[in-house]
Amino acid sequence: MSAGVLAWTGAAEASGFSLKEQSAKETGRAFAGGAAAADDASIIFYNPAGMTKLERSQVSLNSHFLFVDSAQQNDGTTLTVPGRPTAIPVTGNNGGNPFDQPVIVPTGYAAFRASDRLWFGLGISAPFGLKVEYDQGFFGRYDSLKSEVKTVNIQPSFGYALNDNVSIGGGVDIQQIDVKLRNALPNLVPSAGDGELNISGDDLSVGWNAGVLLSFGKARLGAHYRSKVSHRLDGTYQVSGLIGPLAGANTRTFATAPLDIPESVTVSAMYGVGDRVRLMATGQWFNWSRFEAITVQPLGRPAVVNEQNYKDSWSGHGAVEFDATDRLTLRAGGLYDTTPTQDAFRTTRVPDGDRIWATAGATWKLNDRLDVNVSYAHVFVSEEKLNRTDTLFAGTAAATQARIVSTNTGNADVIGTSLTIKL
């Protein structure tokens, strides 16, 4: 049975199912500081080598509030069922806005100086996830009704200054992932209503990351690599509500599914260290092309393969930062971020498109030990087409072609806040 069985939800402001919102200060400068800025403890996520440039040991507590607007328009979704010569139109509502308002993404980082050259740090972040849930009666219900992914990434790290110009760093990514997915399944008799497929699973796996930071006068250049994380999700596969000749497909059983979270490379440059005005730029690449398909293996049943065929994605970031006074810093930036999804394989679980960000932010130094950061971003998401066909009840006489044809539109507003406590 194949019904768009397993996919991963992404918000309108993230590439694929990744989340950029790891630091309120970085949000204000469109993440252009990335691997080079090194001006609060959130550098642990972007490049642990940068801890060596912090003024003192410190803690950074961040919260992001994501207001995502996403909509689907039915452009001719159909079912092709056995015994009928023509496709049957699938009717229903547009599913509403599938995102909670707001989506909250908390992160926290702590960096501690062990010696003049050596630093240790700990980061807790949510690099992937979000929740998409459409209204009952959604025209795309055979593609998806609910997709919920939660990740927690715990990152113990170190940074070491080889000399005044070169620092290195790295860490371990201990990543927990939890997934819940739901979509409808059609009965052969339309008046009987729909059945339902529910999948849930979780896993704890480990990856790593490493970076380098070069400093020359007013210029910095940073580079960071984050490895893939290979998950093996264990959980439950449940089909219910099917009747008549399909009743035998109803089941509740153990299932497994492998998933590789892709590796990424970030390269950042900054000019103006020590000046009132600083310029920043970043380029980032995700190896999404490794995400070709998801294979679910229910116990005692045939494996289910759901093609994804992602392509690699990249983003370009730029920002300017200005110290207006000794206590107030202002910043603004922009970025362009490409989607890894493709038209023939895009799903309503991941209603993704290319994104343009416009951002602004500020830091207010309350005193020598406390900084407050606020940021705002508006995300413009390109309109994208969905035209995907999946086979339901594959390999049986009831094999049904479910074709989702729709147009996805959306945008997002992001508010970030953080408190930096210098110890």
Side-chain angles (χ1 to χ4, degrees):
M1 182 179 297
S2 176
V5 173
L6 191 57
W8 309 96
T9 180
E13 77 296 334
S15 173
F17 52 89
S18 66
L19 289 172
K20 289 188 178 297
E21 295 82 1
Q22 308 302 322
S23 162
K25 182 177 282 189
E26 281 300 324
T27 298
R29 56 194 178 208
F31 315 101
D39 53 3
D40 78 359
S42 65
I43 191 64
I44 291 169
F45 182 85
Y46 297 101
N47 183 3
M51 284 189 287
T52 62
K53 298 301 180 182
L54 298 176
E55 295 177 349
R56 62 177 76 171
S57 299
Q58 57 189 264
V59 175
S60 176
L61 304 174
N62 300 260
S63 291
H64 283 86
F65 303 88
L66 285 56
F67 300 86
V68 185
D69 184 22
S70 181
Q72 296 290 332
Q73 173 183 296
N74 191 353
D75 294 331
T77 299
T78 61
L79 280 178
T80 302
V81 301
R84 297 217 180 184
T86 60
I88 304 170
V90 177
T91 59
N93 60 58
N94 67 3
N97 184 358
F99 292 95
D100 287 343
Q101 304 294 325
V103 176
I104 301 174
V105 183
T107 60
Y109 309 92
F112 301 98
R113 186 197 299 269
S115 70
D116 289 343
R117 293 184 179 273
L118 179 63
W119 286 70
F120 292 107
L122 180 67
I124 301 176
S125 60
F128 299 90
L130 285 188
K131 178 182 177 182
V132 174
E133 186 169 8
Y134 296 95
D135 296 340
Q136 289 294 326
F138 172 43
F139 73 83
R141 58 192 177 274
Y142 303 125
D143 185 51
S144 76
L145 281 171
K146 179 179 179 179
S147 306
E148 184 175 0
V149 178
K150 297 179 181 178
T151 62
V152 176
N153 197 82
I154 300 174
Q155 182 187 331
S157 303
F158 80 95
Y160 185 77
L162 298 177
N163 51 49
D164 291 342
N165 303 112
V166 182
S167 298
I168 59 173
V172 176
D173 292 301
I174 305 168
Q175 190 173 104
Q176 170 73 29
I177 186 168
D178 293 273
V179 179
K180 295 178 181 178
L181 303 170
R182 177 165 56 90
N183 59 265
L185 295 172
N187 274 295
L188 294 181
V189 179
S191 61
D194 292 327
E196 198 167 81
L197 171 64
N198 285 272
I199 293 175
S200 63
D202 58 61
D203 182 59
L204 177 67
S205 293
V206 177
W208 60 274
N209 69 94
V212 60
L213 183 65
L214 308 178
S215 302
F216 302 99
K218 296 183 178 182
R220 285 181 186 165
L221 180 65
H224 182 253
Y225 173 82
R226 190 176 299 277
S227 77
K228 72 174 182 179
V229 179
S230 295
H231 288 287
R232 181 183 181 275
L233 292 158
D234 293 338
T236 302
Y237 175 95
Q238 180 175 341
V239 177
S240 60
L242 296 179
I243 63 173
L246 296 176
N250 292 323
T251 187
R252 179 182 173 88
T253 187
F254 175 79
T256 64
L259 172 67
D260 285 343
I261 298 294
E263 60 268 49
S264 62
V265 175
T266 304
V267 178
S268 303
M270 172 179 171
Y271 184 79
V273 177
D275 292 346
R276 291 185 65 190
V277 178
R278 295 171 292 281
L279 302 176
M280 304 175 193
T282 286
Q284 189 173 51
W285 167 83
F286 275 91
N287 189 21
W288 280 116
S289 59
R290 69 165 56 256
F291 191 47
E292 296 179 351
I294 288 293
T295 301
V296 181
Q297 181 61 70
L299 183 64
R301 289 179 176 262
V304 177
V305 179
N306 185 241
E307 294 184 352
Q308 298 297 310
N309 288 321
Y310 274 28
K311 58 185 178 181
D312 290 351
S313 70
W314 60 271
S315 58
H317 316 236
V320 60
E321 197 167 64
F322 171 62
D323 293 333
T325 70
D326 290 342
R327 291 187 177 274
L328 177 64
T329 298
L330 303 176
R331 57 185 64 91
L335 74 88
Y336 179 73
D337 191 15
T338 64
T339 177
T341 63
Q342 302 188 68
D343 288 358
F345 301 97
R346 188 176 295 114
T347 83
T348 56
R349 295 192 191 277
V350 187
D352 203 14
D354 295 339
R355 291 153 302 281
I356 296 174
W357 291 58
T359 74
T363 296
W364 179 257
K365 296 182 183 296
L366 297 175
N367 53 49
D368 290 342
R369 292 187 178 273
L370 295 176
D371 293 353
V372 174
N373 302 288
V374 294
S375 62
Y376 169 76
H378 183 75
V379 187
F380 304 87
V381 184
S382 64
E383 179 180 292
E384 298 292 344
K385 300 291 185 180
L386 283 72
N387 190 348
R388 178 187 178 99
T389 300
D390 287 294
T391 301
L392 316 181
F393 319 121
T396 73
T400 299
Q401 298 291 317
R403 183 185 181 198
I404 174 78
V405 184
S406 66
T407 301
N408 176 72
T409 57
N411 59 71
D413 294 288
V414 180
I415 297 173
T417 63
S418 72
L419 177 67
T420 298
I421 306 167
K422 300 175 183 177
L423 307 177

